[in-house]
Amino acid sequence: MSSFLKSSATILIAGALLANTVQAGSDNTLFILQDSSFGGLGNTLFVDQSEASGSTISGALGGTLPAQQTGFGNIAEVLLTGEAAAVVLLQNNTGAGAVAELNSATLTGGTLATLILQQDGVGNEGSVTVLGLDATGALFQSGNENTGSVEVTGDQAFGKLEQIGNGNTSGLQVQGAGASVTYTQIGDNLTSATLPTVYSNGGAVTITQTSY
């Protein structure tokens, strides 16, 4: 088991808090950079790899870069319950505003799952849950105050939600072995009347919602 916590001189130890971290098993890798240079409310990370073996949490697939929480008040919770999961976590919040402007993320994965979350902006909320064997779930939020969730169920299934703009709200559910679904929101204040759910027996689906 190897664990790495990489810091910079700008981090306030009391502000960039690594709390209740639990790792067990073998070959788990945790590679995190937390930079809360504005002081005040720092970043918070909770990781549970207690039931995971051979899992990697980093900022790129393959573990070549550190996972990052950069800026003001980011919160991330990662729970891995199966073997050899891969998590990519990048939260970038360059503002120094109120508590309401923090980014938050919840990531949950099982055996051979791949979870990818990238938040650029302030006030974004995201969750990614991957339950299928060798399945992938991804959420990309570029802008402010976006709320998104991705849930992927099915072996070798793929689901990605991308929110580009401000104030967008949606989720994506993908069910079925080999399914591949990409949902993109481009604009501001976009919502979906019902939670988009795609059932597939291996086909590829692309959905785009835009206000422009």
Side-chain angles (χ1 to χ4, degrees):
M1 176 171 61
S2 58
S3 301
F4 304 91
L5 179 62
K6 183 177 180 182
S7 303
S8 72
T10 56
I11 293 179
L12 295 178
I13 298 301
L17 175 63
L18 184 62
N20 298 326
T21 301
V22 178
Q23 295 187 90
S26 61
D27 300 321
N28 296 328
T29 300
L30 176 65
F31 195 15
I32 302 290
L33 170 64
Q34 294 195 108
D35 185 351
S36 185
S37 56
F38 293 103
L41 181 65
N43 300 316
T44 301
L45 174 69
F46 174 84
V47 178
D48 187 341
Q49 287 180 299
S50 59
E51 297 183 43
S53 176
S55 295
T56 300
I57 300 174
S58 64
L61 292 175
T64 56
L65 296 172
Q68 295 186 35
Q69 290 184 304
T70 304
F72 174 83
N74 298 304
I75 297 174
E77 181 175 341
V78 182
L79 175 62
L80 302 177
T81 57
E83 294 186 2
V87 174
V88 175
L89 172 65
L90 296 167
Q91 291 176 311
N92 180 30
N93 176 352
T94 57
V99 173
E101 293 182 347
L102 55 82
N103 293 316
S104 64
T106 303
L107 306 175
T108 306
T111 303
L112 291 176
T114 300
L115 301 91
I116 303 170
L117 183 133
Q118 181 172 346
Q119 294 172 315
D120 289 309
V122 296
N124 296 303
E125 297 182 15
S127 65
V128 179
T129 302
V130 180
L131 302 177
L133 179 67
D134 201 19
T136 299
L139 174 61
F140 297 89
Q141 295 173 312
S142 179
N144 303 323
E145 297 182 357
N146 296 302
T147 301
S149 63
V150 177
E151 183 175 322
V152 178
T153 305
D155 295 350
Q156 297 182 328
F158 173 85
K160 181 177 78 172
L161 171 62
E162 186 168 8
Q163 296 174 308
I164 303 172
N166 305 306
N168 297 308
T169 302
S170 189
L172 175 64
Q173 288 186 338
V174 178
Q175 300 182 16
S180 179
V181 182
T182 300
Y183 177 26
T184 305
Q185 289 183 310
I186 304 173
D188 297 330
N189 302 313
L190 294 170
T191 61
S192 51
T194 58
L195 179 66
T197 303
V198 178
Y199 302 88
S200 175
N201 59 357
V205 177
T206 301
I207 305 168
T208 302
Q209 183 184 21
T210 179
S211 63
Y212 299 142

